[in-house]
Amino acid sequence: MSTATSKVRTALVIGGGIAGPVTATALLKAGLQATVYEAYPTLAEGIGGGLALAPNGLAALGIIGADDAVRALATQVTGTVMAVGGNTRRLPSLAGVEPLQVIGRGDLHRILHDRAVESGVRFEYGKRLVTVDEAPDSVTARFADGTAATADVLIGADGVRSTVRTRIDPEAPGAGYTGLLGFQGYVDASPDLDPEPGVMTFAFGKRAYYLFWKMAD
């Protein structure tokens, strides 16, 4: 979108998790003033497990200048192993492509929030979206605390149970349980296991699978 020909100058970004700060920072870089509205009262700290970011994900974060901060905290995964039953195979990797970067969701959240603040993005907390009123040239978000905010556009970055999505399309299907549960933890590895540093193993069983890799420490 070219701001030279567009009348859009301001945006409301609903949701301050992973997508919201990235979206708002990118909008600011494009010349739009964006404010993030988060339902929870404070910045979430330490929520969620680890995420593995591929090179294209790092390239996207590089657009807003957050990639190097992620690399500094992440654990590099330089190889992948598939273990199915008694068969174990090392998967080939692409030459000239940087490794996966495994980072805790909480660390990633903090990096993206701080980068957004440094760029000039404003955050408003305790703003749970209730309804949206559209006008020909603007949109107004109304929040559970009785306040409201108006801008040229409104963007939903409020997760799998998005309130914005249901306001756009009340018939939109909601999130459904896939039958999978995910857990993450840290253990002292058996000497018999002794995982190779930088290698992530996908170990498959009949009803579950798990991934494991060696931490830097």
Side-chain angles (χ1 to χ4, degrees), residues 73-211:
L73 286 181
T75 297
Q76 291 190 353
V77 174
T78 55
T80 305
V81 168
M82 298 291 285
V84 183
N87 297 316
T88 300
R89 294 288 184 271
R90 181 76 173 256
L91 300 183
S93 59
L94 295 174
V97 177
E98 75 170 301
L100 291 175
Q101 305 285 341
V102 178
I103 187 170
R105 186 191 183 282
D107 290 335
L108 178 61
H109 189 187
R110 168 62 68 179
I111 288 171
L112 299 177
H113 168 271
D114 291 352
R115 181 71 190 101
V117 171
E118 292 168 3
S119 299
V121 173
R122 187 164 59 91
F123 284 76
E124 295 281 348
Y125 292 96
K127 301 296 181 181
R128 186 170 297 279
L129 182 68
V130 175
T131 189
V132 175
D133 297 330
E134 293 188 69
D137 298 318
S138 65
V139 60
T140 298
R142 302 191 184 280
F143 304 102
D145 64 357
T147 61
T150 300
D152 297 327
V153 295
L154 181 144
I155 297 170
D158 50 343
V160 67
R161 295 177 178 85
S162 171
T163 300
V164 175
R165 184 186 300 112
T166 59
R167 296 299 178 267
I168 294 172
D169 180 8
E171 301 302 318
Y177 175 48
T178 63
L180 295 176
L181 293 174
F183 301 90
Q184 182 173 351
Y186 301 91
V187 299
D188 291 327
S190 164
D192 296 332
L193 184 61
D194 192 24
E196 180 184 343
V199 173
M200 180 181 286
T201 299
F202 290 70
F204 287 85
K206 291 182 179 180
R207 298 184 60 193
Y209 79 95
Y210 64 98
L211 304 94

Side-chain angles (χ1 to χ4, degrees), residues 3 23 133 212:
T3 56
T23 301
D133 297 330
F212 63 87

